[in-house]
Amino acid sequence: LGDDDDDDDANSTSSKKIPQNHIDSGFAVTILGSGGGGVNSRYRIGSSTALRLGGTTFLFDACEGVQRQISFSRVTMKDITKIFITHLHGDHVYGLPGLLLSLQVAAKGSLTSQGQKSLQKKPVIEVYGPPGLYNFLAMTLTLSCSSMNFANIIVYELVGGRQERGPWSGKHVHHRRGRDGRNNNRDMRNIFIGSYPEISYANLTRRSIPKNTDGTWTIEEPDNLTDLLKRGLKDVSLSNEVNAGPLRKFRISAAEVMHQPGVQTFGFVVEESTPPRKIDAAKATELGVKPGTKYKLLKNGFPVMSDDETKEIRPEQVLTDTVSPRKFAIVGDNSKISLALAQLCHNADVLVHEATLVGKDAEEKAQKRGHSSATTAGKVAQKVHAKALVLNHLSPKLLSEEIDVLLQNAEKSNCGVSQIAAAFDFMELWVPRGGYNFESERSKT
């Protein structure tokens, strides 16, 4: 864990304390905003979390003030390629339109660095979230007369959820009026899932991702052998290397959680591809595969044919070590998570879970307010066997002694399964290659 001080000298000093050969920058979590309730303070703003992945960054929620937080953190604006929105409450999304406009400014710099006639393609920024996200962005950008000229924004809405149509209230349905001023009930459009051509926006594209039969949404999948072989072995460029940057691929999934009626809310899980492993070249040669491009496939867990095409060589026959892929999970505001999300979160190295409710009656308030307590968060982490639990979405009014009580409640309900920490703005967690192994550390002590 670590935090950033406000001055550069402090940052440089703290980084020198960590031996560089022990740092793997390929999987680091930065809490940009740890507060909840829509009220900012000197020490906490709304919700925003960054997952830095060695050259590319995923952002989860974009509260008001997120750009300022980024400027004081290790997160680099130009590295943000994907943004995930858990739900459309203001303390999770009000900073998104301005952030996208700033991201295109960073993109403009990369385009003009090659000269005004550069043929470099516009960067693509992908935004994922519930239905209504595109309309929110298109309307905001249109009414503010903003220009999005230097980046292409693709908004992927996760469709098929139980709450995707929003609250069942007339004020959330647009009744299109005819020339006589009367409502035309045959042309009603739901503001969450409806289409509004009058706010279509250049360089802002709307797409959808359907719900799977198991109750999850598949956002991205890592490379598979069939696709790799279609490119030919000489052209294979695997995407699970830490230094692959934006080309690095992950298994990214989502599932619903129960928050408030009519508020479609998600949890997201990001798992890296199995990292490359070491190969026993002598053994591979003995089995009929000499050093060459096939070693890349073997190192990454794919079987290959021997050089004489007479037999298949499997990775386990020649690999000398096993490295577990790292997993990050973040749960949107909720009073209860779904079974589908619990399964996705299983064995997560880091689980970020809200702990909004405090006090003796916190559990009783859960269903009414659509939020969780630290006790609930601890139970969830225990259920999914999370290695580290980060209590997030905390009230900005909490005193240090009250945070201590939150931690105690979470630890009690967690029964020692997870390491638990209370989030604070600019908090960092660096997940080592192969993931956390706290059991090993306990056995050493």
Side-chain angles (χ1 to χ4, degrees):
L1 305 183
D3 64 318
D4 288 342
D5 294 324
D6 288 343
D7 55 275
D8 293 335
D9 292 338
N11 286 338
S12 61
T13 302
S14 61
S15 64
K16 291 178 181 177
K17 293 179 181 178
I18 306 173
Q20 294 299 314
N21 59 335
H22 293 297
I23 293 179
D24 179 354
S25 61
F27 213 93
V29 179
T30 301
I31 305 294
L32 295 169
S34 59
V39 179
N40 294 338
S41 72
R42 289 181 59 191
Y43 306 104
R44 295 184 192 277
I45 70 166
S47 294
S48 188
T49 300
L51 179 60
R52 295 186 288 119
L53 299 161
T56 189
T57 296
F58 296 167
L59 192 69
F60 298 85
D61 287 333
C63 61
E64 180 184 0
V66 66
Q67 294 184 66
R68 181 183 182 277
Q69 300 295 91
I70 290 174
S71 69
F72 284 106
S73 74
R74 289 189 176 95
V75 177
T76 303
M77 192 80 77
K78 65 180 180 59
D79 288 342
I80 298 175
T81 56
K82 288 181 170 63
I83 301 173
F84 302 85
I85 302 299
T86 60
H87 63 294
L88 295 179
H89 275 162
D91 57 330
H92 296 257
V93 77
Y94 280 166
L96 181 58
L99 174 63
L100 291 176
L101 291 171
S102 292
L103 290 177
Q104 73 142 355
V105 173
K108 177 182 178 181
S110 65
L111 288 171
T112 58
S113 64
Q114 303 295 327
Q116 293 185 355
K117 297 183 179 180
S118 172
L119 298 178
Q120 186 177 348
K121 294 182 179 179
K122 293 179 182 177
V124 175
I125 301 168
E126 299 172 348
V127 186
Y128 301 86
L133 180 57
Y134 173 85
N135 285 342
F136 166 72
L137 288 173
M139 180 67 78
T140 303
L141 295 172
T142 299
L143 292 180
S144 61
C145 302
S146 302
S147 299
M148 187 71 67
N149 298 323
F150 302 102
N152 291 318
I153 311 298
I154 304 178
V155 180
Y156 292 91
E157 295 179 330
L158 280 56
V159 299
R162 291 171 293 182
Q163 308 283 346
E164 68 173 8
R165 299 184 67 88
W168 291 104
S169 171
K171 66 181 179 180
H172 293 284
V173 177
H174 172 60
H175 299 264
R176 196 171 190 179
R177 296 180 181 273
R179 292 182 178 179
D180 58 0
R182 297 179 180 179
N183 285 336
N184 183 352
N185 291 327
R186 292 174 299 175
D187 193 18
M188 290 193 303
R189 291 180 290 177
N190 180 281
I191 62 174
F192 291 91
I193 62 176
S195 177
Y196 294 80
E198 57 267 39
I199 60 169
S200 60
Y201 199 82
N203 297 327
L204 185 69
T205 304
R206 187 182 201 178
R207 295 179 184 173
S208 63
I209 298 177
K211 186 178 182 179
N212 299 324
T213 56
D214 64 354
T216 66
W217 282 260
T218 301
I219 295 173
E220 181 176 286
E221 284 285 297
D223 288 325
N224 63 70
L225 181 60
T226 302
D227 291 339
L228 290 173
L229 294 180
K230 285 180 180 178
R231 286 184 260 163
L233 281 177
K234 292 184 179 179
D235 299 323
V236 165
S237 179
L238 295 176
S239 57
N240 61 343
E241 294 279 1
V242 171
N243 59 2
L247 299 178
R248 193 174 172 200
K249 285 189 177 181
F250 300 84
R251 181 173 285 103
I252 307 175
S253 305
E256 292 176 283
V257 298
M258 185 182 298
H259 183 23
Q260 295 176 353
V263 182
Q264 183 68 67
T265 309
F266 295 100
F268 296 99
V269 178
V270 178
E271 183 176 11
E272 67 180 348
S273 307
T274 302
R277 288 160 284 178
K278 295 180 180 179
I279 192 169
D280 186 334
K283 192 169 185 179
T285 302
E286 182 182 343
L287 291 173
V289 182
K290 295 181 179 179
T293 54
K294 291 182 180 180
Y295 275 27
K296 181 182 291 187
L297 291 173
L298 287 168
K299 286 181 178 180
N300 287 276
F302 298 115
V304 301
M305 294 300 294
S306 59
D307 292 340
D308 59 8
E309 300 293 328
T310 60
K311 58 183 178 181
E312 183 181 76
I313 310 301
R314 303 198 60 79
E316 56 266 26
Q317 294 178 271
V318 296
L319 296 179
T320 60
D321 65 343
T322 301
V323 181
S324 299
R326 292 166 286 193
K327 183 188 289 189
F328 167 80
I330 185 167
V331 182
D333 295 2
N334 76 95
S335 59
K336 183 180 180 180
I337 73 169
S338 62
L339 176 60
L341 183 60
Q343 292 172 340
L344 290 176
C345 293
H346 186 68
N347 279 337
D349 289 283
V350 178
L351 171 65
V352 178
H353 194 290
E354 69 135 307
T356 309
L357 301 178
V358 297
K360 296 181 180 179
D361 57 347
E363 301 305 308
E364 299 175 5
K365 295 179 181 177
Q367 295 298 326
K368 183 178 180 180
R369 296 184 55 185
H371 284 286
S372 297
S373 65
T375 299
T376 301
K379 290 178 180 177
V380 171
Q382 179 199 31
K383 179 180 179 180
V384 304
H385 298 281
K387 299 173 187 176
L389 167 65
V390 178
L391 303 177
N392 197 32
H393 204 266
L394 306 177
S395 169
K397 299 178 182 179
L398 286 179
L399 303 175
S400 58
E401 54 267 27
E402 292 175 305
I403 293 177
D404 290 339
V405 173
L406 287 182
L407 289 170
Q408 292 169 9
N409 292 341
E411 289 168 354
K412 184 177 180 180
S413 64
N414 185 258
C415 300
V417 171
S418 314
Q419 297 289 310
I420 303 176
F424 54 87
D425 289 13
F426 306 114
M427 174 184 185
E428 289 191 336
L429 294 89
W430 297 61
V431 184
R433 187 173 186 266
Y436 287 134
N437 188 358
F438 296 122
E439 292 297 327
S440 176
E441 294 299 323
R442 290 193 189 103
S443 63
K444 291 179 181 179
T445 57

